[in-house]
Amino acid sequence: MTNSGIYVFPRYGPIMIGKDSLDFTFILIFVASYYQTFLILAYHYVYRLKTVTSGFARSFTDYWTNSNWTCLGVVINIIYIAIFVGTCAIAFAPDDETRALAPKELEGIYGHDLRDQNRGYLNCCHSTV
């Protein structure tokens, strides 16, 4: 975290295949896998709540099998991750403006020059104040 926002970047890098940097792709995978844990916990909570309270009220899910719940979980997971990764890829991707505004102290502390076009990073909560 810096005065101008939160920066997430790989420890080693830039990770290149040919002339293409994969840093930003790997960061998106890391962020998606981090937040997927919370999605699984929320889904498990809803499943357990429905199981425990099944005798109190009628619901269309009362006679669902484990395969019904698994299919619902897979569909929700795919939709959530697609929306989440798509939003992060659009909103937090580095561009020329954010590269120019990248704090120089990160280079001094971590040895990473975020102004380098080959280095990928994710910039959350960007502020110019």
Side-chain angles (χ1 to χ4, degrees), residues 18-37:
K19 294 182 181 181
D20 298 325
S21 174
L22 296 177
D23 289 358
F24 186 68
T25 304
F26 287 140
I27 292 169
L28 283 178
I29 292 170
F30 169 76
V31 169
S33 64
Y34 178 80
Y35 283 102
Q36 189 163 8
T37 305

Side-chain angles (χ1 to χ4, degrees), residues 37-77:
T37 305
F38 300 108
L39 177 67
I40 292 170
L41 287 173
Y43 175 77
H44 183 70
Y45 173 77
V46 170
Y47 172 75
R48 281 290 169 208
L49 179 69
K50 292 297 296 173
T51 303
V52 169
T53 61
S54 63
F56 297 123
R58 304 299 301 161
S59 173
F60 67 95
T61 61
D62 285 347
Y63 300 104
W64 280 18
T65 62
N66 284 340
S67 59
N68 293 108
W69 283 103
T70 303
C71 285
L72 178 68
V74 168
V75 168
I76 289 173
N77 198 359

